[in-house]
Amino acid sequence: ARPKVGYLYSKRGGNSIIYDYIKEVKVAEIKTKPAVVTEDTTVYDAIVQLFLEDAGTIFVTNNGHLTGAVSRKDFLKIALGNTDIHKVPVGIIMTRMPNIVTVTDNDTAYEAAKKIIEHEVDSLPVIEKTVTEDGKDILKITGKVSKTNITKLFVKLGSGN
Amino acid sequence: ARPKVGYLYSKRGGNSIIYDYIKEVKVAEIKTKPAVVTEDTTVYDAIVQLFLEDAGTIFVTNNGHLTGAVSRKDFLKIALGNTDIHKVPVGIIMTRMPNIVTVTDNDTAYEAAKKIIEHEVDSLPVIEKTVTEDGKDILKITGKVSKTNITKLFVKLGSGN
């Protein structure tokens, strides 16, 4: 046990414990309920939903499968443009799969945070992937991990809970 | 040194090290450049600035003093309403001091994260307060701490840097 004692006195060692600990926390433990609408929802109604759920990103499904996402920033751009937000469906303006970065329950919170920073997004959908008989991927959204979830986890770690 | 060894073997102890460590990091170490406009900037130009700097919140000053803030969410609400965003100055629609939560360089990243979560905001201005001869508070903005900065710090801690 001798070398382990070093953890207590060297900065590097203290760090090791922190990052081992941080890497234990799984996406499943910190994910929360995502705001979801269907592709045929108008942009306006999708924005209303965004406000109602106080979400930063809205996820879009078709027949129960995740097909897209729209952020507050995307909506703000659209709202300033010439799009008739009362007529155009959200499916037209969304970022479409496979251009959405995702995580699964078993990924770590650390991996999720890294993806959020690297891909410069506010929120990741947590997905369950199944493959149909004819070899198609089906993505079900089971939650989301956002910068808010990571910030909450940081506060929780700092509180010693 | 005996009791300290326990840190290594009990969950509680491991936690202690983590939160001691987390609480060492100061706002000054993680703050970044804020997006700032003056009160007389039109809402439209403020939004353009928000996009140019890819910021989540824009801070507003008057004669160099912090007087307000507007988030992406606020702008989206305004953009959907009847406000003429090309004419109305941002000073009219902003959240005005003292209704803005702030931090200083010497606060910890942990305290900043806690304020972000408790007050449900995306970003906090980092301020330097001086008092004028006639007893007025003057706030200078020297940076911002957002959920992005906290998420980056989380990734940094998890990477062992």
Coordinates of all heavy atoms in Angstrom, one line a residue, chain A residues 75-108:
Chain A
F75 N -33.0 28.2 -33.6 CA -34.4 28.8 -33.6 C -34.2 30.3 -33.8 O -35.0 31.0 -34.5 CB -35.1 28.5 -32.4 CG -35.8 27.1 -32.4 CD1 -35.7 26.2 -31.3 CD2 -36.6 26.7 -33.5 CE1 -36.3 25.0 -31.3 CE2 -37.2 25.5 -33.5 CZ -37.1 24.6 -32.4
L76 N -33.3 30.9 -33.1 CA -33.1 32.4 -33.1 C -32.8 32.8 -34.5 O -33.3 33.8 -35.0 CB -32.0 32.8 -32.1 CG -31.8 34.3 -31.9 CD1 -33.1 35.0 -31.6 CD2 -30.7 34.6 -30.8
K77 N -31.9 32.0 -35.2 CA -31.5 32.3 -36.6 C -32.8 32.3 -37.5 O -33.0 33.2 -38.3 CB -30.5 31.3 -37.1 CG -29.1 31.9 -37.4 CD -28.2 30.8 -37.9 CE -26.9 30.9 -37.1 NZ -26.0 29.8 -37.3
I78 N -33.5 31.2 -37.3 CA -34.8 31.1 -38.1 C -35.7 32.2 -37.9 O -36.3 32.7 -38.8 CB -35.4 29.7 -37.8 CG1 -34.5 28.5 -38.1 CG2 -36.8 29.5 -38.5 CD1 -34.3 28.2 -39.5
A79 N -35.9 32.5 -36.6 CA -36.9 33.6 -36.2 C -36.5 34.9 -36.8 O -37.4 35.8 -37.1 CB -37.0 33.7 -34.7
L80 N -35.2 35.2 -37.1 CA -34.8 36.4 -37.7 C -34.9 36.4 -39.2 O -34.8 37.5 -39.8 CB -33.4 36.7 -37.3 CG -33.1 37.0 -35.8 CD1 -31.6 37.3 -35.6 CD2 -33.9 38.1 -35.3
G81 N -35.0 35.2 -39.8 CA -35.0 35.1 -41.2 C -36.4 35.2 -41.8 O -37.3 35.8 -41.2
N82 N -36.6 34.7 -43.0 CA -37.8 34.9 -43.8 C -38.7 33.7 -43.7 O -39.8 33.6 -44.3 CB -37.5 35.2 -45.2 CG -36.9 36.6 -45.3 OD1 -37.3 37.6 -44.7 ND2 -35.9 36.7 -46.2
T83 N -38.4 32.7 -42.9 CA -39.2 31.5 -42.7 C -40.5 31.8 -42.1 O -40.6 32.5 -41.1 CB -38.4 30.5 -41.9 OG1 -37.1 30.3 -42.4 CG2 -39.1 29.1 -41.8
D84 N -41.6 31.3 -42.6 CA -42.9 31.4 -42.0 C -43.0 30.3 -40.9 O -43.4 29.2 -41.2 CB -44.0 31.3 -43.0 CG -45.4 31.5 -42.3 OD1 -45.5 31.5 -41.1 OD2 -46.4 31.6 -43.1
I85 N -42.6 30.7 -39.7 CA -42.5 29.7 -38.6 C -43.8 29.1 -38.2 O -43.9 28.1 -37.6 CB -41.8 30.3 -37.3 CG1 -42.6 31.5 -36.8 CG2 -40.4 30.8 -37.7 CD1 -42.1 32.0 -35.4
H86 N -44.9 29.7 -38.6 CA -46.3 29.2 -38.3 C -46.7 28.1 -39.3 O -47.6 27.3 -39.1 CB -47.3 30.2 -38.3 CG -47.2 31.2 -37.1 ND1 -47.6 30.9 -35.8 CD2 -46.5 32.4 -37.0 CE1 -47.3 31.9 -35.0 NE2 -46.6 32.8 -35.7
K87 N -45.9 28.0 -40.4 CA -46.3 27.0 -41.5 C -45.2 26.0 -41.6 O -45.6 24.8 -41.9 CB -46.5 27.7 -42.8 CG -47.8 28.5 -42.8 CD -48.2 28.9 -44.2 CE -49.6 29.6 -44.2 NZ -49.7 30.7 -45.1
V88 N -44.0 26.4 -41.6 CA -42.9 25.4 -41.8 C -42.7 24.4 -40.7 O -42.7 24.8 -39.5 CB -41.5 26.2 -42.0 CG1 -40.4 25.2 -42.2 CG2 -41.6 27.1 -43.3
P89 N -42.7 23.1 -41.0 CA -42.5 22.1 -40.0 C -41.0 22.0 -39.6 O -40.1 22.3 -40.3 CB -42.9 20.8 -40.7 CG -42.8 21.0 -42.1 CD -42.9 22.5 -42.4
V90 N -40.8 21.7 -38.3 CA -39.5 21.6 -37.7 C -38.6 20.7 -38.5 O -37.4 20.8 -38.5 CB -39.6 21.4 -36.2 CG1 -39.9 19.9 -35.9 CG2 -38.4 21.8 -35.4
G91 N -39.2 19.6 -39.1 CA -38.4 18.6 -39.8 C -37.6 19.2 -41.0 O -36.6 18.7 -41.4
I92 N -38.1 20.4 -41.5 CA -37.4 21.1 -42.6 C -36.1 21.8 -42.2 O -35.1 21.9 -42.9 CB -38.3 22.1 -43.3 CG1 -39.6 21.5 -43.8 CG2 -37.6 22.9 -44.4 CD1 -39.4 20.6 -45.0
I93 N -36.2 22.3 -41.0 CA -35.1 23.2 -40.5 C -34.1 22.5 -39.5 O -33.1 23.1 -39.2 CB -35.6 24.5 -39.9 CG1 -36.5 24.2 -38.7 CG2 -36.4 25.3 -40.9 CD1 -35.9 24.7 -37.4
M94 N -34.5 21.4 -39.1 CA -33.6 20.7 -38.0 C -32.3 20.2 -38.6 O -32.1 20.0 -39.8 CB -34.4 19.5 -37.4 CG -34.6 18.4 -38.4 SD -35.6 17.1 -37.7 CE -35.4 15.8 -38.9
T95 N -31.4 20.0 -37.7 CA -30.1 19.3 -38.0 C -30.5 17.8 -38.0 O -31.1 17.3 -37.1 CB -29.1 19.5 -36.9 OG1 -28.8 20.9 -36.9 CG2 -27.8 18.7 -37.3
R96 N -30.2 17.1 -39.1 CA -30.7 15.7 -39.3 C -29.7 14.7 -39.0 O -28.5 14.9 -39.2 CB -31.2 15.6 -40.7 CG -32.0 14.3 -41.1 CD -32.6 14.4 -42.5 NE -33.8 15.2 -42.5 CZ -35.1 14.7 -42.2 NH1 -35.2 13.5 -41.8 NH2 -36.1 15.5 -42.2
M97 N -30.1 13.6 -38.4 CA -29.2 12.4 -38.3 C -28.6 12.1 -39.6 O -29.3 12.2 -40.6 CB -30.0 11.2 -37.7 CG -30.3 11.3 -36.3 SD -28.9 11.5 -35.1 CE -28.2 9.8 -35.3
P98 N -27.4 11.6 -39.8 CA -26.4 11.3 -38.7 C -25.6 12.5 -38.2 O -24.6 12.2 -37.6 CB -25.6 10.2 -39.4 CG -25.5 10.7 -40.8 CD -26.8 11.4 -41.1
N99 N -26.0 13.7 -38.5 CA -25.2 14.8 -38.1 C -25.4 15.3 -36.6 O -25.2 16.4 -36.3 CB -25.5 16.0 -39.0 CG -25.1 15.7 -40.4 OD1 -24.1 15.0 -40.7 ND2 -25.9 16.0 -41.4
I100 N -25.9 14.4 -35.8 CA -26.1 14.7 -34.4 C -25.2 13.8 -33.6 O -25.2 12.6 -33.8 CB -27.6 14.5 -34.0 CG1 -28.5 15.4 -34.8 CG2 -27.8 14.8 -32.5 CD1 -29.9 15.1 -34.7
V101 N -24.5 14.4 -32.6 CA -23.6 13.6 -31.8 C -24.5 13.0 -30.6 O -25.3 13.7 -30.1 CB -22.5 14.5 -31.2 CG1 -21.5 13.7 -30.4 CG2 -21.9 15.3 -32.3
T102 N -24.3 11.7 -30.4 CA -25.2 11.0 -29.4 C -24.3 10.4 -28.3 O -23.1 10.2 -28.5 CB -26.0 10.0 -30.0 OG1 -25.2 9.0 -30.6 CG2 -26.9 10.6 -31.1
V103 N -24.9 10.0 -27.2 CA -24.3 9.1 -26.2 C -25.3 8.0 -25.8 O -26.4 8.1 -26.2 CB -23.9 9.9 -24.9 CG1 -22.6 10.7 -25.2 CG2 -25.0 10.8 -24.4
T104 N -24.8 7.0 -25.1 CA -25.6 6.0 -24.5 C -25.5 6.0 -23.0 O -24.6 6.6 -22.5 CB -25.2 4.6 -25.1 OG1 -23.9 4.3 -24.6 CG2 -25.2 4.6 -26.6
D105 N -26.4 5.2 -22.4 CA -26.5 5.1 -20.9 C -25.1 4.7 -20.3 O -24.7 5.2 -19.2 CB -27.5 4.1 -20.5 CG -28.9 4.7 -20.3 OD1 -29.0 5.9 -20.3 OD2 -29.8 3.9 -20.2
N106 N -24.4 3.9 -21.0 CA -23.1 3.3 -20.5 C -21.9 4.2 -20.7 O -20.9 3.9 -20.1 CB -22.9 1.9 -21.0 CG -23.6 0.9 -20.2 OD1 -23.7 1.0 -19.0 ND2 -24.1 -0.1 -20.9
D107 N -22.1 5.2 -21.5 CA -21.0 6.2 -21.6 C -20.8 6.9 -20.3 O -21.7 7.0 -19.5 CB -21.3 7.2 -22.7 CG -21.1 6.6 -24.1 OD1 -20.3 5.7 -24.3 OD2 -21.9 7.0 -25.0
T108 N -19.6 7.5 -20.1 CA -19.4 8.2 -18.8 C -19.8 9.7 -19.0 O -19.9 10.2 -20.2 CB -17.9 8.2 -18.4 OG1 -17.2 8.8 -19.4 CG2 -17.5 6.8 -18.2

